[in-house]
Amino acid sequence: MDDHLSAKPAASYQDENERLALEECVKRQRIDQRVSVLVFPAGRCELAIQFARLGASVFVGDQPGRQLEVENRALADGMQDNIRFFPCALNDLPADLPGDPHDIIFLRRGLSQLPYHQGCAAIRQLLRHLRIGGKLYLSLLGLHSELSDGYSGRDRPIGERFAHLSPALAARYEIDEPVCLYSERDLFMLLLEAGVSVLRTLTTTYGNVMGVGVRV
């Protein structure tokens, strides 16, 4: 699952989270010329390039097979010196990441690929790579979006909610693997349980959820 989910139902909350993160980058650039940003996964590399254009040092984490694509996109935009790719999996992050500690971590919908408790563990791992006072931007697939139509995990508690989408929606969004869909309350509790100080959560018009937290 990747940015094939950036179809219209996901675009609203993605754009809002990006706007907030880019504004934070600009604010930090005024104070400290060195701003380190981690983006996971790569998506189409558009967000990484926007951060790089602001002068940030950008580190993109994704599966090894994405490296050439990411590097080519950065090269095409003349941002190859500001964007560095490193292979990793969200549920198996190395102890040390390039660019540590990061000022901003932007986590796309990849967390929905993990069961809730693994997602919580992944957030805890990411916090170790975030500077004190650094911000985490997180977007997740929503329980109250169209994705829940025919979703077999819809009525399960969040700790057990990991299931396949309906065949029609799985085909539409090319999501063959099981996913965990979140309500806004689920996201809030995830961040709290992981040790993140929650600044904001939001349910979008399309029913997806996003959150912003800070490491304290």
Side-chain angles (χ1 to χ4, degrees):
M1 180 168 54
D2 199 349
D3 266 20
H4 53 255
L5 282 185
S6 59
K8 189 173 182 180
S12 176
Y13 78 88
Q14 179 189 7
D15 291 347
E16 175 68 3
N17 238 12
E18 289 182 357
R19 181 184 67 79
L20 293 171
L22 291 167
E23 287 179 355
E24 180 68 17
C25 183
V26 171
K27 292 175 184 176
R28 288 177 180 263
Q29 288 280 44
R30 293 171 182 160
I31 300 171
D32 183 356
Q33 292 302 309
R34 178 198 175 278
V35 176
S36 180
V37 179
L38 170 63
V39 177
F40 190 97
R44 296 185 176 89
C45 211
E46 294 170 349
L47 181 59
I49 289 170
Q50 290 182 71
F51 277 121
R53 286 174 178 163
L54 293 176
S57 297
V58 187
F59 302 86
V60 178
D62 211 323
Q63 301 299 323
R66 299 296 310 281
Q67 181 166 359
L68 183 59
E69 178 187 352
V70 170
E71 291 177 348
N72 284 342
R73 288 181 182 273
L75 180 62
D77 274 82
M79 293 290 117
Q80 67 274 16
D81 293 335
N82 296 74
I83 297 175
R84 178 177 173 186
F85 179 92
F86 64 94
C88 70
L90 185 57
N91 59 346
D92 188 25
L93 292 173
D96 298 307
L97 293 179
D100 279 346
H102 297 280
D103 299 278
I104 294 170
I105 295 179
F106 193 98
L107 184 59
R108 297 176 181 272
R109 295 169 295 279
L111 199 69
S112 291
Q113 289 180 284
L114 303 175
Y116 176 84
H117 296 298
Q118 289 185 25
C120 189
I123 295 296
R124 289 194 186 103
Q125 282 189 302
L126 284 171
L127 280 183
R128 299 189 185 103
H129 303 286
L130 188 63
R131 185 186 304 275
I132 300 295
K135 290 186 179 179
L136 170 69
Y137 296 82
L138 176 64
S139 298
L140 290 165
L141 303 177
L143 182 64
H144 302 300
S145 70
E146 70 164 338
L147 296 178
S148 67
D149 294 341
Y151 175 62
S152 62
R154 181 171 184 169
D155 297 322
R156 298 177 189 171
I158 184 64
E160 303 172 11
R161 191 185 305 146
F162 192 62
H164 288 88
L165 301 179
S166 70
L169 288 171
R172 176 180 176 184
Y173 290 105
E174 301 178 8
I175 306 175
D176 297 323
E177 66 275 10
V179 292
C180 183
L181 302 185
Y182 284 76
S183 68
E184 185 175 341
R185 181 180 184 279
D186 296 330
L187 172 57
F188 186 85
M189 295 308 298
L190 171 76
L191 292 172
L192 285 184
E193 188 174 345
V196 180
S197 180
V198 183
L199 298 178
R200 178 183 184 184
T201 60
L202 174 69
T203 300
T204 73
T205 303
Y206 296 108
N208 294 300
V209 295
M210 56 166 282
V212 182
V214 62
R215 182 183 177 187
V216 295

